[in-house]
């Protein structure tokens, strides 16, 4: 955790809350992704009367999250 | 010897479970005045007294009490508030952050200070109440600053491939509206809850082994009580750390609600 020095000019200084937040955000995304995919899969299951799509949804949600985390924090 | 046989041999000892946290003192049922409620009230009185005593006769060369208060306040103000939220808008939030920090720290430390020895944050209601205040704060300031639609549209970072934008939007909204407040609450609650359980287990276990156990149990009771001391120190560290982490995360939520891009 590197704490950036606050800049000398207060009007342009917006703090480093966003860099500070990365680790915590990623945790939150990973949970959210599984929930989103799981919910979507469960909904489709509910509509079609099947029982296996919830698993696919969970995995896809997780995959989306991993891709998104990489896209957002791993490419720059 | 199998575990079941061990358990049967030790019928005299009951391990602590979540029931140890329910300690009504006055009355019963949902409106009982419980031990954590009294401890929490005590913490408020203690913090007020500390701050008043520490700032009564302000001098340029601070005394002992004033040093402590200034160090704590300075830490929250500068290394949490200013560094994370930024010097442009952080002053408004320093009182809130300092309140979070001092309330959580004192209540956590109560977990290892005899005779109180009850971390109030191990009852889910206390961290939840703090988080509700935080939740209303950061959404309100974000929506006030940017407007409702822009606040929620701003959660998607720029320059993403078009097809995944709606999915990312859902992901981010779910994250800031549901998951983040839940995780910050559970992080504090879980740490204090588990820590208190472990301490109770080691201390009551050591007591049972040393007082009621046979010779073999008495011998293993000695390392148990040593572990109880070691874990108390560890718990002390965790208590400071959690107070810091909660306050820091509160600041990051506010910072990201105010930022142009989450």
């Amino acid at each position: 955790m590197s704490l950036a020095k606050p800049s000398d000019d207060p009007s342009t200084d917006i703090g480093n809350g966003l860099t500070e937040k990365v680790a915590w955000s990623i945790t939150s995304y990973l949970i959210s992704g599984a929930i989103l995919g799981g919910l979507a899969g469960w909904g489709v299951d509910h509509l079609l009367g099947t029982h296996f799509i919830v698993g696919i949804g969970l995995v896809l949600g997780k995959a989306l999250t991993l891709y998104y985390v990489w896209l957002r924090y791993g490419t720059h | 010897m199998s575990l079941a046989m061990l358990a049967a041999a030790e019928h005299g000892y009951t391990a602590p479970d979540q029931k140890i946290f329910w300690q009504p003192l006055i009355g019963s049922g949902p409106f009982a005045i419980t031990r954590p409620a009294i401890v929490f009230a005590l913490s408020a009185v203690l913090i007020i007294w500390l701050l008043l005593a520490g700032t009564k006769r302000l001098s340029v060369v601070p005394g002992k009490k004033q040093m402590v208060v200034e160090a704590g306040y300075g830490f929250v103000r500068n290394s949490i508030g200013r560094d994370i939220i930024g010097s442009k808008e952080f002053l408004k939030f320093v009182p809130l952050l300092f309140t979070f920090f001092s309330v959580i720290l004192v209540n956590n430390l109560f977990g290892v200070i005899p005779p109180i020895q009850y971390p109030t944050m191990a009852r889910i209601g206390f961290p939840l109440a703090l988080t509700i205040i935080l939740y209303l704060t950061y959404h309100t300031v974000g929506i006030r600053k940017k407007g409702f639609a822009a606040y929620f549209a701003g959660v998607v970072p720029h320059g993403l491939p078009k097809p995944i934008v709606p999915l990312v939007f859902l992901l981010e909204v779910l994250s800031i509206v549901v998951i983040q407040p839940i995780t910050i609450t559970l992080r504090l609650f879980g740490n204090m809850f588990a820590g208190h359980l472990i301490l109770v287990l080691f201390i009551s276990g050591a007591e049972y082994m040393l007082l009621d156990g046979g010779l073999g149990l008495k011998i293993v009771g000695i390392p148990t009580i040593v572990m109880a001391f070691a874990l108390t120190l560890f718990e002390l560290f965790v208590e400071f750390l959690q107070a810091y982490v909660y306050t820091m995360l509160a600041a990051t939520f506010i910072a990201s609600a105010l930022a142009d891009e989450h």
Side-chain angles (χ1 to χ4, degrees), chain A residues 1 3-7 9-18 20-21 24-25 27-29 31-36 39 61 64-65 67-68 71-73, chain B residues 79 82-89 155-157 160-161 164 167-168 170-172 174-176 179-180 183 187 244-245 248-249 252-253 255-256 259 261-262:
Chain A
M1 251 186 340
L3 287 174
K5 284 271 164 289
S7 72
D9 178 12
S11 61
T12 58
D13 179 26
I14 54 153
N16 63 352
L18 303 183
E20 198 74 6
K21 213 176 150 215
W24 307 107
S25 299
T27 315
S28 173
Y29 291 145
I31 299 171
S32 310
I35 289 179
L36 265 184
L39 275 177
L64 167 79
T65 320
Y67 173 61
Y68 176 55
L71 205 68
R72 191 164 169 187
Y73 300 111
Chain B
S79 46
R82 192 178 59 196
D83 285 2
I84 292 176
I85 301 175
S87 46
K88 199 173 158 199
E89 331 208 32
V155 297
V156 180
L160 285 179
I164 68 165
L167 289 169
V168 166
L170 281 176
L171 189 77
E172 292 273 9
L174 186 69
S175 186
I176 62 167
I179 306 292
Q180 278 184 355
T183 49
R187 188 175 294 119
Y244 169 71
V245 165
M248 189 199 78
L249 282 175
T252 60
F253 291 176
S256 72
E261 207 185 82
H262 283 264

Side-chain angles (χ1 to χ4, degrees), chain B residues 108-122:
Chain B
N108 283 357
L109 292 181
F110 277 170
V112 294
I113 296 174
I116 302 164
Q117 287 176 310
Y118 193 110
T120 41
M121 295 297 157

Side-chain angles (χ1 to χ4, degrees), chain B residues 226-248:
Chain B
V226 172
M227 268 309 276
F229 277 105
L231 280 168
T232 302
L233 290 177
F234 176 69
E235 205 45 37
L236 202 64
F237 164 71
V238 169
E239 281 156 1
F240 273 100
L241 188 72
Q242 288 310 315
Y244 169 71
V245 165
Y246 190 98
T247 315
M248 189 199 78

Side-chain angles (χ1 to χ4, degrees), chain B residues 7-256:
Chain B
E10 285 200 345
H11 55 82
Y13 178 70
T14 42
D17 58 2
Q18 79 284 2
K19 291 187 193 70
I20 61 169
F21 288 96
W22 173 239
Q23 302 177 357
L25 297 177
I26 304 165
S28 62
F31 293 102
I33 295 178
T34 55
R35 184 172 162 192
I38 289 174
V39 171
F40 196 79
L42 183 69
S43 78
V45 172
L46 185 73
I47 292 168
I48 291 168
W49 175 79
L50 254 178
L51 293 180
L52 287 178
T55 55
K56 200 161 51 185
R57 281 187 302 277
L58 287 179
S59 53
V60 179
V61 182
K64 258 202 197 103
K65 282 201 201 95
Q66 195 185 330
M67 286 255 283
V68 172
V69 171
E70 275 183 7
Y73 176 74
F75 170 71
V76 174
R77 181 188 184 275
N78 299 334
S79 46
I80 298 177
R82 192 178 59 196
D83 285 2
I84 292 176
I85 301 175
S87 46
K88 199 173 158 199
E89 331 208 32
F90 82 108
L91 270 178
K92 300 199 278 273
F93 303 106
V94 170
L96 180 72
L97 294 176
F98 185 62
T99 307
F100 278 151
F101 185 75
S102 51
V103 165
I104 294 171
L105 184 61
V106 169
N107 274 291
N108 283 357
L109 292 181
F110 277 170
V112 294
I113 296 174
I116 302 164
Q117 287 176 310
Y118 193 110
T120 41
M121 295 297 157
R123 299 291 287 168
I124 188 77
F126 291 94
L128 199 58
L130 296 180
T131 306
I132 289 171
I133 296 168
L134 171 66
Y135 188 77
L136 293 174
T137 305
Y138 77 89
H139 284 313
T140 309
V141 297
I143 290 169
R144 259 213 206 134
K145 188 180 170 187
K146 295 181 241 182
F148 191 82
Y151 176 67
F152 284 103
V155 297
V156 180
H158 298 296
L160 285 179
K162 279 275 181 294
I164 68 165
V165 165
L167 289 169
V168 166
F169 175 74
L170 281 176
L171 189 77
E172 292 273 9
V173 168
L174 186 69
S175 186
I176 62 167
V177 174
V178 183
I179 306 292
Q180 278 184 355
I182 291 178
T183 49
I184 193 178
T185 308
L186 291 183
R187 188 175 294 119
L188 178 59
F189 157 76
N191 270 292
M192 301 327 297
F193 180 83
H196 192 60
L197 269 183
I198 287 175
L199 289 187
V200 171
L201 175 69
F202 270 85
I203 292 167
S204 68
E207 184 195 41
Y208 172 79
M209 288 178 188
L210 293 171
L211 298 180
D212 308 330
L215 181 65
L217 272 184
K218 276 194 170 50
I219 292 169
V220 291
I222 293 162
T224 311
I225 203 142
V226 172
M227 268 309 276
F229 277 105
L231 280 168
T232 302
L233 290 177
F234 176 69
E235 205 45 37
L236 202 64
F237 164 71
V238 169
E239 281 156 1
F240 273 100
L241 188 72
Q242 288 310 315
Y244 169 71
V245 165
Y246 190 98
T247 315
M248 189 199 78
L249 282 175
T252 60
F253 291 176
I254 292 168
S256 72

